[in-house]
Amino acid sequence: DFFGWLKKNNPIEDTVVIITSDHGVIRIDHSYLLFAAERRVPFIITGHGIRTNNPLRFEASIMDMAPTISYLLGIRYPERAAGRVFLEAIA
């Protein structure tokens, strides 16, 4: 439904959609000690300039999101940014 709405209401040819999440919570504990099952989260990226049928096969960090989004928008991100750009996903 979302992509149908996007095609109808927005120029999808110029759109990139990223679906991800923060860590899960196995126990109700918001300390910074994550359990192994909480360390992996979904990351789905699709749209203009994104490779198709190219699953990312490496460990990534939530800190990679800002540099990747900045890169796609053509915005400079801080040189000291801890994350990296998901160049493997970009066509």
Side-chain angles (χ1 to χ4, degrees):
D1 291 343
F2 172 72
F3 286 101
W5 178 89
L6 195 58
K7 286 178 183 179
K8 181 178 177 183
N9 296 291
N10 191 20
I12 195 164
E13 296 81 25
D14 295 332
T15 301
V16 172
V17 175
I18 297 173
I19 301 169
T20 190
S21 71
D22 195 357
H23 62 84
V25 179
I26 291 178
R27 295 184 192 168
I28 305 301
D29 178 11
H30 269 88
S31 71
Y32 292 96
L33 302 173
L34 299 178
F35 297 94
E38 298 175 320
R39 293 185 186 142
R40 303 286 182 262
V41 297
F43 177 79
I44 301 166
I45 184 169
T46 188
H48 178 72
I50 304 301
R51 294 179 190 212
T52 58
N53 299 321
N54 184 29
L56 301 176
R57 300 183 192 274
F58 55 87
E59 288 193 26
S61 166
I62 193 92
M63 292 186 297
D64 299 329
M65 296 303 302
T68 300
I69 292 168
S70 295
Y71 182 89
L72 290 168
L73 292 172
I75 298 171
R76 186 179 174 108
Y77 51 91
E79 292 178 19
R80 297 184 322 174
R84 67 185 187 94
V85 176
F86 291 146
L87 291 175
E88 298 85 349
I90 300 169

